[in-house]
Amino acid sequence: MLSDESFMRYHRQVQLPEIGESGQQALEQAKVLIIGAGGLGAPAALYLAGAGVGSLVIADGDRVERSNLQRQIIYRDRHQGESKAQAAVAQVKALNPHIRARAVTANLAKLQLAMEISLADVVLDCTDNFDSRHAINQACFAHQKVLISAAAIRWQGQLMSFDFRAQQGPCYHCLFPNGEMKAPQNCSESGIAGPVVGIMGTFQALQAIKAITGSGEPGVGQFRQFDALTLQWQQFGLPMNPQCPVCSKESL
């Protein structure tokens, strides 16, 4: 049973028949890893904390800069120069002191990445480079985790959800083969409309809540692209690559 405190705090959410008390209990028991505390991770962390996800781990090796404040809404002006992960954890704890939150002040890679992913139920890839995305995808597949990945640049956003609990594809590598894509552009070179990255991070939080509570359509194996200038969404099914070195049967 939910405590009185939990029932009062999450009452509007518990009222949803797709969530209810059992879904709220699932959220309180869930562990979510957010890799990257920038424009995507900032709104995702706040919404997941507000929803009552019991354990959040926020990993980022960078520090808050003035140019971040235009879109990374979890930070305040006074946070300039501070660790992003530590400042983000302080903010989510201020929003909801009833959750557990831990900062990892490093850009996760190799063994540390694998360890943190192995401890999570759901992983949010909020990074901004192909190398990190491929490493996260491979580790999530190996450890049979739910992976929710997003990206944003200029007026465009992308969203993908993968459920590797049955160790089946498709995966991120099926769509973007490692080494075969040009290096992605970044916000400092191409610009970004702040609400666009906020929309995509919010959708990552929404997909995580749905995955944890079993609500609605998970949208696994779908590539969604958002155009903020027209408010149009495009959606494509992701075919599994039978030669994928990550998720094909030959790779297992």
Side-chain angles (χ1 to χ4, degrees):
M1 297 291 291
L2 292 176
S3 67
D4 291 344
E5 164 64 29
S6 292
F7 188 81
M8 293 299 294
R9 177 177 285 267
Y10 309 118
H11 178 58
R12 300 295 190 274
Q13 191 165 272
V14 172
Q15 283 183 304
L16 297 172
E18 296 83 1
I19 294 182
E21 289 198 34
S22 61
Q24 190 60 51
Q25 288 174 325
L27 288 168
E28 291 184 352
Q29 294 166 5
K31 299 177 181 178
V32 176
L33 170 63
I34 300 173
I35 306 177
L40 296 167
L46 290 170
Y47 272 112
L48 292 174
V53 169
S55 178
L56 287 177
V57 177
I58 302 175
D60 197 305
D62 293 339
R63 293 185 174 274
V64 180
E65 299 178 1
R66 184 177 303 172
S67 62
N68 300 149
L69 301 174
Q70 168 253 356
R71 65 199 177 279
Q72 299 178 16
I73 59 171
I74 200 168
Y75 306 116
R76 302 295 173 259
D77 190 73
R78 60 182 170 81
H79 289 132
Q80 290 185 57
E82 295 183 18
S83 158
K84 283 188 177 181
Q86 291 177 338
V89 163
Q91 290 291 87
V92 298
K93 288 288 289 180
L95 173 65
N96 190 348
H98 302 282
I99 67 167
R100 298 177 301 280
R102 175 168 61 88
V104 178
T105 57
N107 296 319
L108 293 179
K110 298 181 180 179
L111 290 177
Q112 189 177 18
L113 174 66
M115 181 192 70
E116 293 292 351
I117 285 177
S118 72
L119 297 173
D121 300 310
V122 178
V123 177
L124 270 57
D125 180 355
C126 302
T127 61
D128 61 359
N129 65 86
F130 274 135
D131 288 343
S132 295
R133 291 173 188 165
H134 280 287
I136 293 166
N137 174 73
Q138 187 169 356
C140 284
F141 187 83
H143 292 282
Q144 299 177 268
K145 304 298 180 178
V146 174
L147 169 62
I148 302 166
S149 179
I153 193 73
R154 294 185 294 272
W155 298 93
Q156 304 288 326
Q158 297 175 353
L159 179 70
M160 293 155 282
S161 297
F162 306 99
D163 188 344
F164 299 137
R165 286 176 289 191
Q167 214 165 29
Q168 295 178 346
C171 73
Y172 185 85
H173 193 282
C174 294
L175 181 64
F176 298 111
N178 196 13
E180 297 181 22
M181 302 295 295
K182 294 188 296 183
Q185 296 173 306
N186 56 49
C187 297
S188 63
E189 295 174 348
S190 302
I192 180 69
V196 176
V197 74
I199 288 168
M200 305 318 298
T202 300
F203 265 100
Q204 285 183 281
L206 179 61
Q207 290 293 82
I209 291 169
K210 288 166 58 183
I212 293 166
T213 61
S215 301
E217 170 57 49
V220 170
Q222 298 289 321
F223 175 78
R224 293 177 171 84
Q225 184 161 293
F226 175 65
D227 185 337
L229 290 176
T230 63
L231 298 183
Q232 297 282 324
W233 283 90
Q234 290 181 302
Q235 178 175 316
F236 310 93
L238 296 181
M240 179 178 171
N241 179 0
Q243 279 80 48
C244 177
V246 176
C247 69
S248 68
K249 291 183 179 180
E250 288 77 7
S251 69
L252 299 177

